[in-house]
Amino acid sequence: MPLNRRGFVQRMALALGAVSSKPLLAEEAAATPAPEAQASHAVASTPHHEHTSRKLKGYIRPNTINIIEEHFDIVVVGGGISGLCAAISAARNGLKTALVHERSALGGNSSSEVRLYPEETCSFSPWIKEAGILEEISVEERVRNWEPATEGLMNSQWDLVLYEWARREKNLHLFLNTTMREVEMKDPSHILAIHAAQLGTEKGFVLEAPLFVDASGDGVLGYRAGADFRWGREAQSEYGEALAQPKADEVLMGNTLFFRARDTGKPIDFKCPDWAATFETEKDLTHRGHGFIEGGYWWIEVGQPYDPIRDNEKIRDEALRQLLGVWDHIKNRCSDKDIRERAKNYALEFVGFWPYKRESRRILGDYVLTEKDVRTPSVHADDIAYGSWGIDIHVPGGILKRDTEPYPSPKTDINFKHRGTIPYGIPLRSCYSRNVHNLLTAGRPISASYVAFASTRVLPTGAIVGQGIGVAAALCRKYNCDPRTVAKEHAAELQQILLRQDASMPAAVNADANDLARSAKATSNNDAPLSFPEEGIAHRATLPLGQLIPISTDKLDKVELLMHSNDTAPQPVKLSVWKASSVFDLRPTKILATATGTVKPGDKQFVSFPLNMQTEPGGLYFIQIDKNPHVSWTIYVDKVGEPSRIPVGASPADFIGGPMWRPFTHGKAFAMRVHPEQRPYTAQNLITGTNRPDRWTNIYLSDPQQSLPAHMELAWERPVQFNQIQVTFDTNMVRRTTLPNFRNPDCVKHYTVEALVNGSWKTLVEEKENYQRRRVHAVEPVTAGKLRLVVHATNGSPQARIYEIRVYNEQVS
C-alpha cells in the first residue's frame, strides 16, 4: 500500500470504526497538507478546517467495517442532475464509471427529496431548451408521470426515471448512500483515489481512477484535493463587471425548503408550532406571492448570515421555521379571503428537510466565465455546452429580509437591460481545475465569477455541462491526456461527438466526416412555407417591437404586418430591417432598409411596408417598428399541450434599451406576411447545420396543408454501405412542458426507414410508438444508393418535424 494510502485508509477506518486510533506516522502526516494551506489565494473566506485533534483516551474496535478498493476509468462525485448526466455520458462513451452519491435518490436538488424541477430556461430565450440526455429523461418522466411538474410537487416518478437511466448503462456503477470522506493525492496536481463510506452496509470504499468529476454542488472534491476555488463575490475591479460589488465579500445566496399541500376534501385546521416564524400581515411577505397553495416556494430561502456548508443544519432548521410560518399565514392569517377559503381543505403532505442549495465554492479553471461572457458572448473553440438563464442574483438573507423584494427578476423592464443574457458558450476550460490536472467539474462548481455564476448555476445548464465533460473524459482516455490538452488539441473532435449525441454549442455545426448523410442530396415530397398565425391578441407598441424571420430568397419585396389602431387619425409607422447572426442573438446590427406604412383607425388590418431589398438566402433578418402607443401588432401564443403553430426560427421581441432586444418566449409570434414566399424548411436542412435553430432554422417541416405520410429521401451519387441511422425529431425547443402524462404532439410517432436495394424499397426500421427526440437505429449492413424516412403519424401535429438525419457505417468490434 502506498505511503499516503495507509494514512488515508487509517483515518477513514477510524471514522468508521474499522481500526484502532493509531497516530499517523510523521511522514504520512507531512504528506497531507493542512486544509488552510490548500486554499487558493483567490479565496475570500475563512479557512475550512477538516480535522481536529482527538482528546478522548478511548479506543475503537478494529475490523468492523469492510474496506473495498476498486479501480475505474472515471469517478463522479455527486449524483445530482449534472453528475448523473456526466456519469451517463462517460459510460456511453466507453468509460468504466463510478457515480458516488450521498443520498438514496438520484437528482440532487431535482429529486423528490428536495423538489426543484429543472428550471425553465426557455423563459429567457427562444429555441434554447436543453436537449441530449436531459431531454431523454425529461420526456420519459412526463410520459409516465400523472402529476404536473412544478416546484414542490415533484414526486418519485422523476427519481425512478433517473435511477432507470443510470441502471441502463452497463459501464455505470452506482454507489448510493455513499459519502466521500477523504481525497487521496498522488501528488499536489493529481488525485489518486477518493475514500467513501456507505450508510447501511458497513462498507467503506477506496475508488481509484485517472479522472475525477466534482459534481458535488459544494465543490467538496475540489476543496479536499487542494483545487483553487472562489467563495463569495468578487470586486468590480477584478473582472470589470458592472454588476459586481465595489469590494469583494463573502456573501452568498441562500437555501430553500419546499412544501407540498393536498386537498383533503374536508376542512383541516393547522396549529402552528410555537417555535415557527409568524407572518401576521401581507407586509411580512413583501412581493412574495402565495396564491398557489398546492406547493412552493423558492422564496422560502435562508441565507446570510449563515454559511451554506458549515451551517447547513442551522439553515434547515431556520428554513423550516419560516416554511411553517408561511403555511400558518396562508391557512390562518392571510388577508386575502379567497386564498384562505381555498386553503381551508388543504393539509401539508410533504415538507422538505434537505435544503435546495444555490451556491458555495466555485473551482477555478483556465477560463473564468464573467459578466461579459454571458451578456455579450463570443464563441469559444472549446465550448461544450451553453447557458441561457438570466443573471439571477438573489437578495442576501432571503426571507429573513422581510421588507425586501426576494430578487429582481432579470426579465422585467427595469432589469433586463442590465441582467438579460444571450445564450452563451461554456468552454471546457471552465470545467476543470487549473491546478489539479485530473479534476473535471459540472454543475455549480464550474469556473465562473459570482455574477456569471448567477446564470450558470441552474439545473438544466449543469446537466448539459455534465454531458459535455463526460465526452471530454472519453477523449482524455483516447489520447492519454488531461482535460487541458483536450481543450487545446481535441476541441473540434469533442464538439462533433457532442453534436452527434444531441448536445448543442452556439454556432457549432455538423462537420462529421463519418456522417454519410452529409454527402447525399436531400429531397422531400413537400415542405412548409413560412407562415404566421393570423389570430391572436393586440400587443400595443409602447416599446419598439420586432421579429426575427428566416429568409430563403435573394430578395425581400415587402412585408405586411397585422396591426390595430386605437386613434381616430391614421398613424404612420416606420419599419427597419437588419441582419441577425442567430435566432437568439438579438443585438442590433446595421440598418439595411427602411419603409413607412400607415395604420388606419380600427382593428385588424394588414399594413404594407415596401422594401425591395436584396437579401442573403439562408439568412436571418430582423423586422422592427418604432414605438407608437396608438398602434398594436397582433401576436399569437401557442396553446400549452397543443401542436406548435409558430414558425420555427422566428423570434419576436421588444426593446427596452441596453445592448440587445428582449425576446418573447414560450411560443409567440407576431402576425405578418412576407413577399416573396419563403421556403426555409426544406429537406436540405436535415443534412446541414445542426440539431436546433441557431444560425438557420435547421429543421425540415412538411406542409401542414397536405396529409401525411411525408417522405424525405437521401440520394448518393453511388451506393454506400451503412449500418446505423440516427434521426432527431422535434420535441418543441421553445418550452419545457409540465403537463402530466404528456407526449409532445410535435414529435413523430410512427415512422419507417427504408433503403433502395436492387431497385426495391426495403424496410430497415419501423417504429409505431415513438415520443423521444433522438433515435439511433442499428441495422444489418446494407448497401444502397437511396435512403428514405417516411413519417406516417405524429403525436398530434398535422406536419412532420425533423431536425436531422445522420447515416454511419460503424465499425463492429
Side-chain angles (χ1 to χ4, degrees):
M1 184 178 290
L3 180 65
N4 268 10
R5 175 66 53 83
R6 289 206 310 271
F8 273 86
V9 170
Q10 280 186 350
R11 280 206 302 277
M12 185 179 76
L14 173 62
L16 295 173
V19 296
S20 62
S21 53
K22 174 184 174 183
L24 292 180
L25 299 177
E27 64 270 24
E28 293 169 348
T32 307
E36 55 268 39
Q38 299 176 23
S40 163
H41 66 278
V43 177
S45 69
T46 55
H48 286 199
H49 297 278
E50 292 289 342
H51 304 295
T52 56
S53 59
R54 285 174 51 82
K55 296 181 180 179
L56 300 179
K57 302 297 184 181
Y59 68 93
I60 295 174
R61 291 184 61 250
N63 303 321
T64 62
I65 300 296
N66 183 20
I67 305 296
I68 300 169
E69 297 190 20
E70 295 192 49
H71 182 87
F72 293 90
D73 295 323
I74 189 168
V75 174
V76 180
V77 175
I81 198 68
S82 61
L84 176 63
C85 287
I88 291 173
S89 177
R92 288 182 179 179
N93 285 278
L95 300 188
K96 182 183 177 184
T97 304
L99 178 57
V100 178
H101 187 51
E102 62 184 4
R103 318 298 291 182
S104 298
L106 294 164
N109 283 338
S110 74
S111 74
S112 64
E113 187 179 23
V114 180
R115 304 200 175 190
L116 174 70
Y117 193 75
E119 295 93 338
E120 178 65 285
T121 51
C122 304
S123 298
F124 292 91
S125 186
W127 313 112
I128 206 66
K129 184 177 73 170
E130 296 78 7
I133 295 169
L134 177 62
E135 179 68 352
E136 294 173 27
I137 293 169
S138 299
V139 166
E140 189 67 34
E141 188 269 346
R142 282 297 86 204
V143 168
R144 297 184 189 183
N145 206 326
W146 64 92
E147 290 194 310
T150 306
E151 289 180 355
L153 273 61
M154 298 288 291
N155 61 29
S156 289
Q157 284 298 317
W158 176 256
D159 304 338
L160 286 169
V161 173
L162 298 183
Y163 181 79
E164 179 181 327
W165 247 243
R167 283 298 186 198
R168 283 166 45 167
E169 302 300 327
K170 59 181 174 53
N171 288 328
L172 178 52
H173 302 261
L174 280 177
F175 293 84
L176 297 179
N177 296 308
T178 304
T179 181
M180 183 194 69
R181 301 293 295 269
E182 300 270 355
V183 177
E184 181 174 350
M185 301 300 291
K186 180 179 180 181
D187 56 53
S189 298
H190 295 88
I191 301 170
L192 179 64
I194 67 161
H195 295 240
Q198 189 172 62
L199 302 179
T201 64
E202 297 182 349
K203 292 178 183 177
F205 295 97
V206 179
L207 305 180
E208 188 175 355
L211 289 169
F212 294 82
V213 177
D214 190 334
S216 65
D218 284 336
V220 177
L221 173 55
Y223 167 61
R224 293 182 183 173
D228 295 341
F229 67 96
R230 291 303 302 247
W231 179 275
R233 305 187 290 192
E234 296 92 350
Q236 288 179 348
S237 59
E238 184 161 354
Y239 298 118
E241 296 174 306
L243 292 176
Q245 301 299 300
K247 294 183 179 180
D249 60 33
E250 299 176 21
V251 171
L252 287 83
M253 287 180 267
N255 302 351
T256 289
L257 288 182
F258 292 107
F259 70 85
R260 171 71 191 268
R262 289 277 192 183
D263 186 347
T264 67
K266 61 181 181 180
I268 298 291
D269 293 333
F270 177 72
K271 182 179 179 181
C272 191
D274 56 9
W275 49 266
T278 301
F279 297 88
E280 289 286 357
T281 69
E282 302 307 306
K283 290 182 179 180
D284 292 321
L285 289 170
T286 304
H287 297 290
R288 292 172 171 89
H290 45 281
F292 179 75
I293 57 178
E294 285 82 0
Y297 302 108
W298 64 262
W299 48 257
I300 303 177
E301 174 185 353
V302 173
Q304 293 296 110
Y306 298 104
D307 181 307
I309 296 177
R310 303 303 174 190
D311 295 330
N312 193 50
E313 293 292 291
K314 293 179 180 178
I315 289 173
R316 188 269 322 285
D317 292 345
E318 183 58 38
L320 190 59
R321 271 190 4 98
Q322 302 295 324
L323 184 154
L324 293 176
V326 169
W327 185 246
D328 171 59
H329 175 86
I330 291 170
K331 291 282 288 186
N332 303 321
R333 305 173 190 272
C334 185
S335 61
D336 187 327
K337 293 182 180 179
D338 176 67
I339 292 178
R340 283 215 320 274
E341 181 62 26
R342 287 190 292 112
K344 182 172 61 176
N345 292 353
Y346 276 79
L348 291 175
E349 176 189 79
F350 164 85
V351 172
F353 276 80
W354 185 254
Y356 150 42
K357 285 191 178 183
R358 286 183 175 84
E359 69 168 309
S360 53
R361 304 181 185 97
R362 307 187 298 280
I363 306 299
L364 291 171
D366 285 339
Y367 191 93
V368 179
L369 288 163
T370 66
E371 181 179 336
K372 180 180 178 181
D373 289 294
V374 304
R375 291 271 292 152
T376 56
S378 56
V379 173
H380 312 107
D382 62 326
D383 282 336
I384 61 170
Y386 62 87
S388 59
W389 196 255
I391 299 176
D392 187 3
I393 301 173
H394 287 214
V395 170
I399 199 170
L400 302 181
K401 298 285 188 179
R402 291 195 179 190
D403 57 347
T404 306
E405 184 177 354
Y407 83 112
S409 170
K411 286 284 286 185
T412 61
D413 288 359
I414 195 171
N415 289 314
F416 181 79
K417 66 178 68 175
H418 306 295
R419 300 193 179 206
T421 60
I422 296 170
Y424 54 90
I426 298 175
L428 178 59
R429 287 168 295 153
S430 294
C431 303
Y432 58 75
S433 168
R434 69 186 185 186
N435 66 303
V436 178
H437 299 157
N438 62 340
L439 176 62
L440 291 147
T441 58
R444 296 199 305 273
I446 70 170
S447 180
S449 71
Y450 181 88
V451 173
F453 164 83
S455 171
T456 66
R457 65 182 175 82
V458 295
L459 299 182
T461 303
I464 59 176
V465 168
Q467 181 170 350
I469 65 165
V471 175
L475 290 180
C476 287
R477 186 181 70 167
K478 178 180 177 180
Y479 293 107
N480 190 28
C481 66
D482 60 19
R484 176 176 285 127
T485 303
V486 172
K488 288 181 178 179
E489 300 179 10
H490 307 292
E493 181 180 358
L494 171 58
Q495 289 191 341
Q496 290 305 309
I497 297 171
L498 283 167
L499 287 172
R500 182 175 176 179
Q501 297 176 5
D502 201 26
S504 298
M505 292 72 63
V509 298
N510 179 10
D512 188 349
N514 295 320
D515 179 8
L516 299 172
R518 295 178 62 239
S519 63
K521 180 181 179 181
T523 58
S524 62
N525 61 333
N526 64 69
D527 58 82
L530 180 66
S531 177
F532 295 83
E534 295 180 0
E535 64 266 34
I537 60 174
H539 187 94
R540 185 174 295 181
T542 54
L543 294 168
L545 301 177
Q547 183 156 259
L548 179 146
I549 60 174
I551 298 296
S552 61
T553 60
D554 62 0
K555 64 178 180 178
L556 186 56
D557 294 338
K558 68 175 181 177
V559 295
E560 298 176 275
L561 312 187
L562 187 54
M563 305 192 76
H564 315 245
S565 174
N566 62 5
D567 200 70
T568 57
Q571 290 293 314
V573 175
K574 181 183 176 182
L575 180 143
S576 305
V577 183
W578 45 271
K579 198 170 187 296
S581 62
S582 77
V583 296
F584 34 71
D585 188 348
L586 302 184
R587 288 176 284 188
T589 60
K590 179 182 177 182
I591 298 294
L592 302 177
T594 61
T596 301
T598 301
V599 186
K600 299 176 182 179
D603 292 335
K604 285 193 175 183
Q605 54 191 286
F606 274 101
V607 180
S608 181
F609 296 87
L611 293 165
N612 300 312
M613 63 180 289
Q614 296 299 119
T615 53
E616 179 184 336
L620 302 171
Y621 289 83
F622 195 86
I623 311 294
Q624 70 177 60
I625 62 171
D626 290 349
K627 169 183 174 180
N628 185 337
H630 296 292
V631 303
S632 300
W633 191 353
T634 300
I635 192 167
Y636 173 82
V637 182
D638 267 344
K639 296 176 176 60
V640 176
E642 296 185 10
S644 178
R645 293 181 58 202
I646 65 170
V648 175
S651 302
D654 63 11
F655 188 69
I656 57 173
M660 70 197 86
W661 286 64
R662 177 176 59 179
F664 296 168
T665 57
H666 292 128
K668 300 179 178 70
F670 285 121
M672 62 187 300
R673 295 172 181 171
V674 182
H675 302 275
E677 182 181 71
Q678 304 298 313
R679 292 278 178 175
Y681 308 119
T682 66
Q684 191 65 21
N685 291 343
L686 296 168
I687 58 173
T688 58
T690 186
N691 52 24
R692 68 169 64 240
D694 187 342
R695 295 187 172 184
W696 184 236
T697 62
N698 297 321
I699 193 171
Y700 165 76
L701 301 179
S702 70
D703 190 339
Q705 302 304 315
Q706 299 189 35
S707 300
L708 298 175
H711 303 253
M712 292 132 276
E713 184 174 291
L714 303 185
W716 290 270
E717 290 185 359
R718 56 181 57 87
V720 297
Q721 179 174 302
F722 55 88
N723 58 11
Q724 187 188 95
I725 302 105
Q726 175 178 317
V727 187
T728 304
F729 299 110
D730 183 22
T731 50
N732 195 337
M733 304 312 288
V734 295
R735 68 165 75 226
R736 191 175 299 283
T737 307
T738 61
L739 296 174
N741 295 133
F742 179 73
R743 296 187 181 201
N744 198 294
D746 296 319
C747 189
V748 169
K749 179 180 181 180
H750 180 195
Y751 64 93
T752 54
V753 180
E754 304 167 0
L756 187 63
V757 180
N758 297 325
S760 299
W761 287 103
K762 176 183 178 182
T763 299
L764 306 178
V765 175
E766 181 171 19
E767 176 60 58
K768 294 184 177 181
E769 292 295 334
N770 179 61
Y771 49 80
Q772 283 285 357
R773 169 178 156 90
R774 175 176 178 261
R775 297 299 303 270
V776 179
H777 298 287
V779 298
E780 291 297 319
V782 60
T783 301
K786 291 184 178 181
L787 180 76
R788 73 181 181 190
L789 172 67
V790 182
V791 174
H792 302 277
T794 70
N795 285 286
S797 175
Q799 64 183 166
R801 303 165 69 99
I802 302 98
Y803 277 106
E804 192 173 56
I805 299 176
R806 291 178 177 233
V807 181
Y808 292 94
N809 191 35
E810 290 287 279
Q811 293 184 352
V812 179
S813 57

